C-alpha cells in the first residue's frame, strides 16, 4: 500500500542518523561498566534501601510497577472472556475492518453500531471482582465504546478525508457495565494507552517463550492492518525493557541522595542501555505510513476533539456514583495518553524545567489517566527528583557527566522520533488550520530543541580531558548530533514552516 504520509527528506535523514549513532554511543558507554563493577558491588546497600522505599499502592492490581515487569502487567492479559460473555466475544471478533481470515468485519461497512444496539446483551458485571477478568472486560468494553462512538468518523474519513461528527450517546449496554468496571479499577471509562490498547492487549503465541516481537500478537484490533499490529506489538516488546528502567531510576535517585557515585554511574549506564533497546524496537515497529490512518480515528478521545462537540452521554448510568446520564462527559484517549516511558523520562530528568507547565507528555492530566500504581510511581519519582537532582549530581564528576549525556541522547532520540513522525503526518489536514495546533507544535519543537541544548550545555561543563578516548569520541558524536537537531529545529521555528502537531497525536 502506498504511503499516505511521506516523510520529508531532511527529517528522514536526520532520524536515520540519530538511530545509528545512538546505538553506537550506547555500546561505547556500556563497555566501561565492567571497570567499575567491584566498587559498585561493595557500595550498593544504601542505594538499594532508597530504591526499596517504593511500594505499589495496590499490590493486587494487574498493573504494578517493578524491576521485573516494568510497566507491563504482572500476568499475561486474559485473551478470551469467560463463557458468560460469549456474545460480547463474538461481536469483538467480528468488529475489525479487516479480519484475520481475510474477510471484512463490521467496521468496514459501518454495521458495527447497529449490531451492538440489536444484539449486545446488558451484561451484569456486579459479580466480577477478579482483577484479571476485570482487566480483560475493561479492555474489551473500552474497545467497544471507541468503535461505537467513532465508527461514523472513520467512515467519513475514508470517504472524504475529514472526520465529521461522532455518535454522542453511548448506549446503556456498553456504558453501564463499563462504568462499573472502570470504577472498580480506579480508571476512566474510556480507552487509554496501557490498560486498553497496548499493554493489556497482547497474547503470546508460545506461552513458554518470552514476549518478543515474533511471539506476540494483539488480542483486539480496530482495523486489523499491519500498522496497527506493529503499533501494539512494538509498544509491548519495548516495554519488556522498562523493568530495567524502573530499577535504574530508583538506583539513580537513591545514589544521588546517599552520594554513591559508583552505583550512580552504573545506573546511568543501565538506563541508557534499556532506552537504547526501547528506541531500537520502536524505530523498527512504529514506521510512519499511511496505514496509521486506518486505525488512528479510534484512538481519539472525546475531550477537546472536533468530532465531539460537547462530549459523550453515558446512557443508563444514573445510579452510578459521580456520573450523570444527562450530562456529557469528556475523556482523553489513547492518542493523548502516550507511552508511560515519556512520563518517566520527564519526571526522572526534570525535563519540565525546560518548558512551560502543561506542554509535556505527563502534563494536562495525562498521568491521571494511567493505572493507579503508575500514578503513584511517577509521583514518587517526581518527589525524589526534586530532593536530589540527577543533573546536578552528574555534573560533579566528568565520568558521570559523560554517562548523563548518553542518557539524554537516548531521551532526545525518543522524543525526536515522536516529533518527526507527528510533524510528517498529513492525514490531519482538516485540523491544521487551528491556531491551537500550530501553537502546540511550536511548543513541542522548542522542547525538543531545549533537550538538544541541554546536551550541549552538559558537554560544555564536562572536563573532557579526564575521559577515556572512547568516552570522548562518544560524547563528541552525541554533541554533534544534538547540534544538528538544535540548528534544524531553530530554523523551522524561525522560518515558520507550516507543520501543525495536534495534542491528540502524541501517542508515538
Amino acid at each position: 500500500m502506498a504511503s499516505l504520509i511521506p516523510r520529508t527528506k531532511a527529517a528522514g535523514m536526520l532520524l536515520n542518523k540519530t538511530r545509528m549513532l545512538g546505538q553506537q554511543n550506547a555500546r561505547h558507554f556500556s563497555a566501561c561498566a565492567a571497570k567499575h563493577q567491584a566498587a559498585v558491588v561493595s557500595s550498593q546497600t544504601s542505594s538499594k534501601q532508597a530504591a526499596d522505599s517504593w511500594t505499589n499502592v495496590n499490590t493486587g492490581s494487574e498493573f504494578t510497577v517493578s524491576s521485573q515487569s516494568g510497566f507491563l502487567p504482572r500476568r499475561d492479559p486474559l485473551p478470551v472472556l469467560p463463557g458468560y460473555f460469549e456474545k460480547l466475544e463474538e461481536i469483538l471478533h467480528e468488529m475489525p475492518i479487516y479480519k484475520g481470515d481475510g474477510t471484512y468485519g463490521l467496521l468496514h461497512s459501518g454495521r458495527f453500531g447497529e449490531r451492538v444496539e440489536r444484539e449486545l446483551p446488558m451484561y451484569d458485571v456486579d459479580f466480577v471482582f477478579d482483577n484479571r477478568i476485570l482487566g480483560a472486560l475493561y479492555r474489551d468494553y473500552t474497545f467497544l465504546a471507541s468503535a461505537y462512538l467513532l465508527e461514523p468518523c472513520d467512515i467519513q474519513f475514508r470517504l472524504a478525508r475529514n472526520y465529521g461528527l461522532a455518535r454522542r450517546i453511548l448506549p446503556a449496554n456498553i456504558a453501564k457495565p463499563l462504568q462499573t468496571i472502570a470504577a472498580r479499577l480506579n480508571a476512566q471509562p474510556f480507552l487509554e494507552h496501557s490498560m486498553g490498547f497496548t499493554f493489556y492487549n497482547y497474547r503470546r503465541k508460545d506461552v513458554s517463550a518470552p514476549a518478543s516481537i515474533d511471539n506476540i500478537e494483539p488480542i483486539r484490533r480496530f482495523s486489523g492492518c499491519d500498522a496497527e499490529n506493529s503499533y501494539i506489538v512494538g509498544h509491548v516488546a519495548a516495554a519488556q525493557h522498562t523493568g530495567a528502567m524502573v530499577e535504574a531510576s530508583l538506583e539513580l535517585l537513591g545514589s544521588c541522595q546517599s552520594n554513591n557515585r559508583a552505583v550512580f554511574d552504573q545506573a546511568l549506564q543501565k538506563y541508557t542501555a534499556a532506552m537504547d533497546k526501547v528506541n531500537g524496537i520502536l524505530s523498527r515497529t512504529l514506521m510512519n505510513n499511511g496505514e496509521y490512518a486506518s486505525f488512528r480515528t479510534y484512538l481519539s478521545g472525546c475531550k477537546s476533539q472536533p468530532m465531539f462537540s460537547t462530549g459523550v452521554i453515558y446512557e443508563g448510568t444514573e445510579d452510578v456514583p459521580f456520573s450523570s446520564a444527562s450530562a456529557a462527559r469528556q475523556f482523553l484517549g489513547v492518542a493523548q495518553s502516550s507511552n508511560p516511558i515519556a512520563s518517566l523520562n520527564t519526571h526522572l530528568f526534570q525535563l519540565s524545567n525546560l518548558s512551560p507547565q502543561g506542554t509535556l507528555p505527563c502534563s494536562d492530566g495525562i498521568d491521571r489517566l494511567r493505572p493507579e500504581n503508575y500514578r503513584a510511581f511517577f509521583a514518587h519519582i517526581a518527589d525524589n527528583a526534586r530532593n536530589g537532582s540527577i543533573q546536578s549530581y552528574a555534573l560533579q564528576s566528568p565520568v558521570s557527566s559523560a554517562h548523563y549525556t548518553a542518557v539524554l541522547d537516548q531521551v532526545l532520540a525518543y522524543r525526536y522520533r515522536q516529533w518527526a513522525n507527528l510533524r510528517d503526518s498529513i492525514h490531519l489536514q482538516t485540523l491544521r488550520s487551528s491556531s491551537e495546533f500550530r501553537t502546540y507544535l511550536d511548543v513541542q519543537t522548542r522542547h525538543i530543541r531545549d533537550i538538544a541544548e541541554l546536551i550541549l550545555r552538559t558537554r560544555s561543563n564536562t572536563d573532557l580531558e579526564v575521559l577515556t578516548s572512547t568516552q570522548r569520541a562518544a560524547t563528541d558524536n552525541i554533541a554533534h548530533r544534538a547540534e544538528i537537531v538544535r540548528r534544524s529545529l531553530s530554523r523551522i521555528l524561525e522560518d515558520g514552516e507550516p507543520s501543525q502537531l495536534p495534542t491528540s497525536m502524541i501517542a508515538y
Side-chain angles (χ1 to χ4, degrees), residues 393-444:
Y393 191 69
L395 290 176
Q396 297 172 20
S397 161
V399 173
S400 296
S401 182
H403 292 318
Y404 175 63
T405 303
V407 170
L408 292 179
D409 177 57
Q410 292 297 326
V411 173
L412 177 61
Y414 185 90
R415 293 287 285 126
Y416 179 82
R417 185 190 64 257
Q418 291 179 316
W419 177 88
N421 281 338
L422 299 171
R423 178 176 171 272
D424 289 347
S425 298
I426 65 170
H427 66 276
L428 292 179
Q429 295 179 25
T430 59
L431 305 180
R432 289 187 166 185
S433 60
S434 168
S435 61
E436 176 188 352
F437 295 158
R438 292 199 301 271
T439 300
Y440 190 82
L441 175 63
D442 286 347
V443 169
Q444 292 299 312

Side-chain angles (χ1 to χ4, degrees), residues 439-457:
T439 300
Y440 190 82
L441 175 63
D442 286 347
V443 169
Q444 292 299 312
T445 305
R446 287 191 177 90
H447 178 63
I448 308 303
R449 184 187 63 179
D450 290 345
I451 296 176
E453 290 178 344
L454 176 60
I455 291 174
L456 295 172
R457 289 197 303 272

Side-chain angles (χ1 to χ4, degrees), residues 86 93 95 136 156 164 175 185 194 214 239 266 269 336 351-353 366 372 437 475 480:
E86 179 181 6
H93 176 73
M95 180 179 72
Q156 177 69 14
L185 294 175
S194 301
D214 296 331
Q266 185 189 53
Q269 293 174 86
Q336 292 166 298
L351 299 181
S352 58
N353 294 339
I366 290 175
E372 58 181 324
F437 295 158
T475 303
H480 176 67

Side-chain angles (χ1 to χ4, degrees), residues 199-401:
F199 295 166
Y200 213 71
N201 188 30
Y202 74 92
R203 77 177 95 215
R204 285 187 288 174
K205 302 173 186 176
D206 180 356
V207 295
S208 64
S212 61
I213 291 178
D214 296 331
N215 192 40
I216 55 179
E217 60 184 0
I219 298 171
R220 309 298 183 202
R221 286 165 279 210
F222 291 113
S223 75
C225 69
D226 290 341
E228 184 179 27
N229 295 343
S230 295
Y231 185 101
I232 296 168
V233 167
H235 277 92
V236 174
Q240 296 285 318
H241 303 289
T242 56
M245 294 174 65
V246 168
E247 183 176 57
S249 64
L250 294 170
E251 290 173 351
L252 283 170
L253 295 171
S255 56
C256 275
Q257 296 166 9
S258 62
N259 191 25
N260 194 325
R261 181 66 60 181
V263 171
F264 182 78
D265 288 346
Q266 185 189 53
L268 283 172
Q269 293 174 86
K270 182 187 298 183
Y271 199 96
T272 301
M275 274 297 299
D276 180 57
K277 293 174 182 176
V278 167
N279 280 325
I281 291 172
L282 294 181
S283 295
R284 294 196 304 271
T285 57
L286 302 187
M287 299 303 292
N288 195 352
N289 57 58
E291 283 194 339
Y292 178 61
S294 71
F295 67 96
R296 186 257 170 250
T297 302
Y298 296 105
L299 306 188
S300 299
C302 58
K303 180 179 181 179
S304 302
Q305 296 295 306
M307 59 279 281
F308 292 97
S309 56
T310 58
V312 175
I313 293 175
Y314 279 54
E315 186 180 60
T317 59
E318 297 90 337
D319 58 339
V320 179
F322 311 111
S323 176
S324 171
S326 60
R329 308 172 69 187
Q330 299 185 358
F331 302 103
L332 300 175
V334 174
Q336 292 166 298
S337 56
S338 78
N339 194 312
I341 291 173
S343 286
L344 177 57
N345 287 335
T346 299
H347 290 304
L348 182 62
F349 302 111
Q350 297 180 293
L351 299 181
S352 58
N353 294 339
L354 301 177
S355 302
Q357 292 297 318
T359 60
L360 297 180
C362 60
S363 305
D364 289 329
I366 290 175
D367 272 354
R368 292 196 295 272
L369 307 181
R370 306 192 191 283
E372 58 181 324
N373 286 321
Y374 283 22
R375 300 194 297 267
F377 178 72
F378 291 140
H380 177 83
I381 292 294
D383 289 343
N384 280 272
R386 282 190 292 269
N387 295 331
S389 169
I390 291 175
Q391 179 183 10
S392 298
Y393 191 69
L395 290 176
Q396 297 172 20
S397 161
V399 173
S400 296
S401 182

